[in-house]
Amino acid sequence: MSRPNNMIVIATRNAGKVREFAQLFAPLELKVRSLDDYAELPPIVEDGATFADNARIKAQVIARHLHVPVLADDSGLCVDRLGGAPGVYSARYAGEGASDADNNAKLLRELAQAGGGSESPAAAGEPRLLSPAAFVCALALVDPVANAVIEAEASCEGFIIDEPRGAGGFGYDPLFYVPALARTMAELAPAEKNAISHRAKALRLFLDKLEQSV
């Protein structure tokens, strides 16, 4: 598989993901293009059972259409007390077209109905922890010319808390608390998040595999 020159196509329209990938690829001097940079793309049906399945599906559809290597990410939140939900349905947990606020609100409702969690903060100013959880990211690069696929997957462990904190990030970041840093993902600076996030970890694994394939 050939290594990207100065541009890489990411199979997403999620502005938050595009921004994070741009930050992560910046040290490699790779410019990121998203699906919003192309017209008349084929529809993508994300009907896989796992994050890895959906990442591969997205990359294959777009790579075959554009005839260039395409990197796809499928990621989401898995909450222990909800049996792993929302999982692969994270982006549409509250329905198709749901906003981040809609999805966060539904997550808190589901946890309230499930009951349990800590009854009170451990100390003044600390959040109430509702459930252990993990952010998971699966990456798949499909090269239609070389007929090759490179995949990687990683996770970031934390807890869901009882109310949003922070104005950064996107998705479930305001509810995802990282005990080691005593902050939510939404309270971290971009560089801090990119040091520990599921997406950053998966990308590091992916780049190692890409280097070995060249």
Side-chain angles (χ1 to χ4, degrees), residues 3 15 28-29 39 47 72 77 81-82 91 97 104 112 116 119 121 137 151 183 188-189 200 214:
R3 191 184 181 107
L28 302 178
E29 299 184 348
D47 56 359
L77 179 69
R81 297 198 59 259
L82 297 180
N104 283 325
E119 293 302 319
C137 174
E151 298 177 286
R183 284 173 288 168
L188 302 180
V214 175

Side-chain angles (χ1 to χ4, degrees), residues 75-148:
S75 53
L77 179 69
C78 298
V79 180
D80 288 13
R81 297 198 59 259
L82 297 180
V88 295
Y89 302 103
S90 292
R92 52 190 187 277
Y93 194 37
E96 292 294 337
S99 68
D100 290 347
D102 293 335
N103 288 330
N104 283 325
K106 179 174 181 179
L107 177 62
L108 292 179
R109 288 197 303 271
E110 293 294 320
L111 282 170
Q113 292 174 6
S118 62
E119 293 302 319
S120 60
E126 292 187 5
R128 180 183 174 209
L129 308 181
L130 301 183
S131 174
F135 272 132
V136 179
C137 174
L139 297 177
L141 178 73
V142 173
D143 185 338
V145 177
N147 193 30

Side-chain angles (χ1 to χ4, degrees), residues 3-4 6 26 31 46 67 83 85 88 112 115 119 121 154 156 177 190 200:
R3 191 184 181 107
N6 63 349
K31 295 181 179 179
E46 297 181 43
H67 306 292
V88 295
E119 293 302 319
C156 177
Y177 184 75

Side-chain angles (χ1 to χ4, degrees), residues 11-113:
T12 186
R13 297 185 188 278
N14 184 307
K17 288 186 179 183
V18 173
R19 182 172 60 252
E20 285 193 3
F21 273 117
Q23 293 166 347
L24 291 167
F25 278 117
L28 302 178
E29 299 184 348
L30 285 175
K31 295 181 179 179
V32 168
R33 286 190 179 177
S34 73
L35 299 187
D36 286 335
D37 294 310
Y38 299 91
E40 299 182 3
L41 292 173
I44 302 174
V45 180
E46 297 181 43
D47 56 359
T50 66
F51 294 114
D53 289 341
N54 284 334
R56 196 179 312 113
I57 289 168
K58 287 186 279 190
Q60 287 173 338
V61 170
I62 302 303
R64 289 170 182 168
H65 181 79
L66 297 178
H67 306 292
V68 298
V70 171
L71 178 66
D73 150 297
D74 197 64
S75 53
L77 179 69
C78 298
V79 180
D80 288 13
R81 297 198 59 259
L82 297 180
V88 295
Y89 302 103
S90 292
R92 52 190 187 277
Y93 194 37
E96 292 294 337
S99 68
D100 290 347
D102 293 335
N103 288 330
N104 283 325
K106 179 174 181 179
L107 177 62
L108 292 179
R109 288 197 303 271
E110 293 294 320
L111 282 170
Q113 292 174 6

